[in-house]
Amino acid sequence: MARDEVRCLIFGKLQSRRISCPSMASSKAAGRLLYQFDLATRWSAHESLTAVARFRQFQTSALTRGQVRDTLRADMKNAMKAKDTFKLTVLRGMIAEVTNADKEKGQELTDSAILALLNKSASKRGESAEFYRTNNRTDLADKEEAEQQILLSYLPRSLTESEVDAALKAIYEEMKGQPKINLGQLKNKFFENPDYASTSPAVVISRAKELLQQQQKS
């Protein structure tokens, strides 16, 4: 992706956020990113991909900075007011899962952990829907899929393979001072970022393996 194309993506989204975002902090964060981008005179393919990944991370940050739990509760109340019993049931169940996990851990889950729980619950419903369809129970499959869509709406989008590569390379650079960097460390560090919660672990592991092999050869 060319430098100008990346800048247009950032600038266009920044302009729309300035109009719609209630918090100027978000606009300032994007503004700083845009300024840093303009300081560069030459951009490699890796740097361009990193810029896109960082900006897309910024796009989802409004939901993932201490607000996931509050958003679920607020939406549950709104569903109650709207008498949307289907959504209300799904959100009540999800909040109950979060509360139980809080108790098990002995403290409130972080946003990252809540998003991981949402992703797990959404995946389970997808598996159930597939099972029901295989057994000609389309009514139950449709219900599971509808529940899955509600849960997926709270998750940041999954990163592309190129964005996963860029994120992993950035993490690797940060960890370079350590004696030995292994696959588990890279994967765990990657998923510490709540904005990456819905990215496939299989893809992350595969790309992390490839990165480590490349580094060993160089």
Side-chain angles (χ1 to χ4, degrees):
M1 181 177 285
R3 179 182 182 279
D4 287 344
E5 290 179 288
V6 180
R7 192 185 189 285
C8 284
L9 168 65
I10 295 173
F11 184 74
K13 294 295 184 181
L14 171 59
Q15 290 297 92
S16 65
R17 290 289 281 216
R18 278 180 176 155
I19 294 169
S20 61
C21 185
S23 171
M24 283 305 294
S26 296
S27 291
K28 287 178 181 177
R32 285 195 298 271
L33 178 59
L34 186 59
Y35 173 72
Q36 290 168 3
F37 185 90
D38 281 334
L39 288 178
T41 55
R42 289 184 178 181
W43 281 75
S44 66
H46 166 61
E47 287 169 326
S48 293
L49 287 168
T50 301
V52 173
R54 285 180 63 200
F55 181 69
R56 284 179 174 161
Q57 176 182 337
F58 159 76
Q59 284 180 285
T60 57
S61 64
L63 180 62
T64 58
R65 292 178 183 168
Q67 295 182 28
V68 181
R69 187 187 302 267
D70 291 342
T71 300
L72 288 169
R73 287 172 175 165
D75 286 354
M76 184 183 73
K77 289 179 182 178
N78 289 335
M80 194 181 301
K81 290 177 183 177
K83 297 183 179 179
D84 185 344
T85 55
F86 185 79
K87 186 173 184 178
L88 178 61
T89 301
V90 174
L91 293 180
R92 270 181 176 161
M94 192 66 239
I95 291 171
E97 282 188 52
V98 172
T99 302
N100 289 336
D102 288 340
K103 291 176 181 176
E104 286 180 14
K105 194 171 183 181
Q107 62 183 31
E108 285 196 348
L109 298 184
T110 62
D111 284 341
S112 182
I114 294 173
L115 288 171
L117 199 57
L118 277 162
N119 193 34
K120 184 178 179 181
S121 295
S123 297
K124 282 182 179 178
R125 283 167 171 83
E127 292 169 3
S128 296
E130 187 176 345
F131 172 80
Y132 287 134
R133 287 209 184 281
T134 303
N135 290 277
N136 298 316
R137 291 300 308 270
T138 55
D139 55 331
L140 294 177
D142 289 344
K143 178 178 177 293
E144 293 290 333
E145 287 172 352
E147 291 182 0
Q148 182 187 40
Q149 288 306 308
I150 290 172
L151 297 177
L152 288 175
S153 69
Y154 294 94
L155 292 170
R157 66 169 188 81
S158 179
L159 297 186
T160 65
E161 193 170 284
S162 295
E163 289 168 337
V164 171
D165 286 343
L168 286 171
K169 285 176 184 175
I171 292 168
Y172 186 88
E173 289 300 317
E174 290 175 6
M175 299 173 69
K176 258 189 174 179
Q178 297 185 18
K180 188 177 181 181
I181 303 171
N182 59 44
L183 182 63
Q185 289 174 319
L186 273 177
K187 174 178 172 288
N188 291 339
K189 190 71 175 175
F190 180 93
F191 282 110
E192 282 179 9
N193 189 326
D195 295 324
Y196 300 162
S198 57
T199 302
S200 167
V203 171
V204 175
I205 291 170
S206 173
R207 302 314 300 161
K209 281 181 180 177
E210 180 69 23
L211 174 61
L212 290 173
Q213 288 171 1
Q214 289 173 0
Q215 296 299 324
Q216 286 172 0
K217 291 176 182 177
S218 61

